[in-house]
Amino acid sequence: MKIERYDMIVIGAGPAGLSAAIEAAKKGLKPIVFDENARPGGQLFKQIHKFFGSKEHKAKVRGFKIGEELLEEAEEYGVEVILNATVVGLYPEKEVTVKIGDKVKHYKGDAILVATGASENMVNFEGWTKPGVIGAGAAQTMMNLHHIKPGNRILMLGSGNVGLVVSYQLMQAGCEVVALADAAPRVGGYGVHAAKVARCGVPFYLSHTIVKVEGDECVTGVVIGQVGPDWKVIPGTEKHFDVDTVCLAVGLSPMSQLLKQAEVKMNDTKGGHVPECDKHGATSVPGIYAAGDVSGIEEASSAMIEGRMSGTAIACYLGYMTEEERDSRIDELEKQLDTLRQGMFAPKNRGKLVEKTDEGIDVSMNLLNKGFVTDDEIERFPGVTHQKGIHPVIECTQNIPCNPCQDACKMGCIRIGENITSLPAIDPEKKCIGCGMCVASCSGQSIFLVEEDVEEGYGEVTMPYEFLPVPEVGDRGVALGRNGQYVCDAEVTKVRIAPAFDHTYLLTIKVPNDMVMRARFYKKEA
Amino acid sequence: MVDIQAKLKEIGPFVEEPDDDLLVCRCEEVTKGQIRKAVHEGIFTLEEMRRYLRSGMGLCQGQTCGKLVKSIIASELKVSPAEVVPASSRAPMRPIEMCILAEDGGGCDE
Amino acid sequence: MSNVADVVIIGGGINGCAAAYYLAKGGTKSVIVLEASNSIGHGGSSRNGGGVRQSGRDIRELPYAMYGIKNMWPTLSEELGVDTEYTQKGNLRMGKTPEHIKKLEALTKSANSVGLDVRMIDQKEVKEICPYLSDEVIGASWCPTDGHANPLTTTLGYYKRALEMGVKFYTEAPVKSLQKVKGKVRKVILNDGTIFEGETIILVSGYESRAIARTIGVDVPMTRLIDECLVTEMQPHMIDVMFGCASADFYGHQTKHGSFVFGSDSGWETVDEMVDPSTNIPDPSKLITNSMTLSASCRAIQGYIPALKDAKIVRSWCGWLDESFDGVPFLSRVDEAPGLILACGFTGHGFGTAPVVGLMLSQMVQGEETVVDISALQYNRFKPCR
């Protein structure tokens, strides 16, 4: 009976697992990574949007690109990645049983990292088991991995980042998102994600939940209703929508079963059943580590840093680096992680209503309640100025960890400063040349170029555009406001694309000059 | 120490609700009403609920309904879901054919 | 909360719950059941193959096993208000070699001697009963009155009924020690210091009974052994019999739900120390399956029922057997500790007899004669071998 032994066994080839394996391999370990999927990268390959953060977090790079880079790095450092390999048991003495093809094999690791990620939560309502009710993550897999349109008319439940990002992607895939509902009284995800969905015309129903899904064989409609303080639906507030698909984005739960089987000490938290870990990811069982969503739901960017921290800790645990070397590397990584965990969406603010930005500006309540900042509210943010000639208008109104716009502007028009969660501000002394780099670099699609007077009575607005077909110069259509409602007629005057824009088109429309601060989206037909 | 009789008295009798027919565990077809009723019969833990109604014992092993059943039990017991101990996890983490397991001699190369 | 009762039962497994139920039914006013874990039936009651059989048992056990099957199991679902899934369609104890057959013949003969209807059948008859078996099975013993039930619902059924009848149950109430008052066992002291008192104390806590009995100077000759169970996904209805093997390769049956529940081993069990992975110190409360047994079990089962080769295993779990030195339980009052009744050492086959054991425990408390004579199960029957 031969059991193959590795320095380090990693379960899950997602952002955390791969990052950990790479980090450890750099120190001379020989890690093996098992993943039950046919492709590595975990959820990264479904993420077609640009990531937040700063350069060290690969900000403004699209998720799947980050996945590709991780894979290249893993290969470079000799990390062995075994796909279609399901770890089915984690036993004493750090032994795993792995189903590979039609064989079950046993491996032992001197250290094991569990990076199995999370699975989608469900919610019960009448009809929730009907075909057509799917997880938002499942919709994303269908669209972005398998190129299958999940439905035609969709209602999204959940206004966290997953619900917002997937709603936008559904529209990119050609689906109509008829409404976005959430039982919570406020939008849970980033305001910039909400704003880009709202300006496409998707109505937000906060404090609303699904009453029932209709249909015999499959979904044909959905009824939502307003919830009272007791979370029960208030009679008479029901609203019906004809839909063929209902997407649920109601949170994720860590897939921590292997850790439980291994008798790791667990904590039952609001975010699920997670292992009790030290800051390096070490669990209560010596040699077993956890990183990424399995140890608490966060974003892929944090998962990658957590993975690197665990990889470092494991390298030290197995004698591949000194404690001093470990601590200095961990310090470095901790700083990166800390910057991601700042701002309004920091773990300490979870569930709290933050009413003022770090700068002391009142947060837009309409953004939290309806998904968009109103025309009056937008004026109070430091990214919004009125100038002669072309200039950026940055509608970034919450303190989130992100700063690519600052570097994107070679003219120095945009200032964020040391603290990457600060709101971007415009330096009126610096001259905008209208290059559009800031527009394309903004992962939240919240930067517009505005020029009030291009000709008598008309100005221009340049916006990021990620839909197909791409409009052509000369096309006439309508401009929609931040709330997705018609504001005026518009004509496309410029369509720009460049490798540096990374597939984000810059669409310039001509609108009456009193509309340049209101027109924020272009639609071909009314 | 949990005094079952005292707790049963505290939570009062089972009262039917309009959504009792709602399917909660889809693998084993267990409804919300069955779960709620079981709590009033003294079934206070997820482990016991699994044994009593088979909730969470199907192919997905409770990955979908575990959290939902937990919150139903908690609400019936009038406690926070954190006070309801999660169910244990059992190998294999994914269902495996008996013939594949039968080939496994305990090593790596067999 | 009154901590004083007529009877305090230590152990919320099926035997404890059944005893509580029959006591309440028999008119005992106050009964308290103390369960160490947070769930009823946490021990062997939820970690067994559900056999309700007579065949294969020691002749000291057979009379009450037969009593239970004849008089109690057939009406139990009705009595408890749960579906015990009791199915009386026979037990097939299979043999693959002449040695196996010899062993089965000996068992059959001794069972016949106390009046049990069990007989040897050849391969042809085996196949008629169950067409899904391997040709390697050359014969079997066949006991048509044996069967199986669902130990989970049966245990909880007793619990539920006992609750309804006013029995007090306390979970998360681990017992540390017993204490005598004026020469009689009366006090039951929990780990947290809480004291319960009973006119009679029934100790029915599996292997843990040994440590508890020791606190008043009584040692029970038993040890413990780990055993594993596994369950398949739902299958179409195939077979109603209970399976067993002369060589103890596996046991099990198809449940009403459709899944097959089996028990088996890999041989590692005899040396399994059940170590807490965090501390490397043995901790029997951990109940961790080992990496080889599930596969070994499947190998064993497939060797007899090849038709199940594509059935998927969804779960495996383990539990301790309380193995008495001679394979049959201790079921008696303790002479040197008046007030104490012992019921432990069921050696892995206590489920099928739980109703009758519960009934007899209540009879012992209530001063009645037990339905059959169980004097052979005295706690002090151990004799030195030299």
Side-chain angles (χ1 to χ4, degrees), chain A residues 45-275:
Chain A
F45 283 92
K46 291 156 54 172
Q47 311 306 329
I48 58 171
H49 59 282
K50 294 175 178 175
F51 274 39
F52 293 87
S54 64
K55 218 181 264 169
E56 60 192 4
H57 311 116
K58 299 184 191 284
K60 82 172 180 170
V61 181
R62 294 182 192 272
F64 70 95
K65 275 277 180 201
I66 298 175
E68 282 167 13
E69 287 172 22
L70 266 183
L71 280 184
E72 278 165 31
E73 205 182 352
E75 193 171 355
E76 184 187 336
Y77 289 99
V79 173
E80 200 178 336
V81 180
I82 313 286
L83 298 171
N84 296 309
T86 310
V87 175
V88 289
L90 175 49
Y91 292 97
E93 320 324 326
K94 296 187 279 292
E95 178 177 349
V96 294
T97 48
V98 192
K99 180 177 175 273
I100 304 172
D102 57 359
K103 293 261 186 301
V104 172
K105 297 183 177 186
H106 295 239
Y107 296 86
K108 275 188 176 179
D110 290 331
I112 290 192
L113 175 71
V114 178
T116 42
S119 67
E120 291 192 88
N121 291 342
M122 284 290 132
V123 58
N124 295 145
F125 43 79
E126 190 185 329
W128 75 285
T129 56
K130 281 191 206 314
V133 179
I134 58 174
Q140 216 180 17
T141 305
M142 289 168 81
M143 292 186 287
N144 302 343
L145 292 184
H146 305 299
H147 308 121
I148 291 166
K149 200 173 164 189
N152 292 314
R153 288 176 56 84
I154 299 174
L155 179 126
M156 175 68 69
L157 183 70
S159 69
N161 278 336
V162 174
L164 297 171
V165 166
V166 175
S167 292
Y168 189 75
Q169 292 178 0
L170 284 164
M171 290 188 283
Q172 288 179 303
C175 313
E176 189 185 344
V177 177
V178 300
L180 193 148
D182 197 319
R186 297 182 296 273
V187 169
Y190 287 179
V192 286
H193 277 319
K196 70 185 195 189
V197 173
R199 66 175 170 253
C200 294
V202 177
F204 281 51
Y205 292 92
L206 276 300
S207 296
H208 275 71
T209 194
I210 295 178
V211 176
K212 63 174 175 180
V213 160
E214 296 163 341
D216 295 330
E217 303 270 292
C218 57
V219 177
T220 58
V222 60
V223 177
I224 63 171
Q226 194 182 335
V227 295
D230 60 351
W231 299 98
K232 293 208 164 108
V233 173
I234 304 167
T237 62
E238 294 87 353
K239 295 156 192 81
H240 172 272
F241 297 90
D242 284 332
V243 295
D244 54 25
T245 305
V246 171
C247 269
L248 304 179
V250 290
L252 302 168
S253 287
M255 289 208 282
S256 52
Q257 293 91 332
L258 284 167
L259 290 162
K260 285 202 264 178
Q261 192 206 345
E263 288 290 339
V264 160
K265 193 159 183 239
M266 305 294 287
N267 285 327
D268 198 18
T269 67
K270 273 206 169 118
H273 208 200
V274 295

Side-chain angles (χ1 to χ4, degrees), chain A residues 337-355:
Chain A
L337 196 55
D338 273 353
T339 59
L340 282 182
R341 289 179 176 166
Q342 300 302 316
M344 288 180 178
F345 294 85
K348 65 172 169 28
N349 287 334
R350 217 163 267 169
K352 286 190 199 148
L353 170 63
V354 180
E355 288 178 309

Side-chain angles (χ1 to χ4, degrees), chain B residues 42-86:
Chain B
I43 308 296
F44 291 179
T45 65
L46 277 166
E47 295 283 343
E48 289 163 322
M49 199 62 80
R50 299 207 302 189
R51 295 175 197 143
Y52 195 53
L53 298 178
R54 299 195 55 87
S55 51
M57 301 275 260
L59 272 183
C60 90
Q61 289 288 289
Q63 182 68 33
T64 312
C65 71
K67 213 173 168 173
L68 302 166
V69 176
K70 194 169 187 259
S71 67
I72 296 170
I73 294 178
S75 124
E76 223 50 39
L77 287 175
K78 302 184 165 112
V79 298
S80 122
E83 287 181 49
V84 179
V85 182

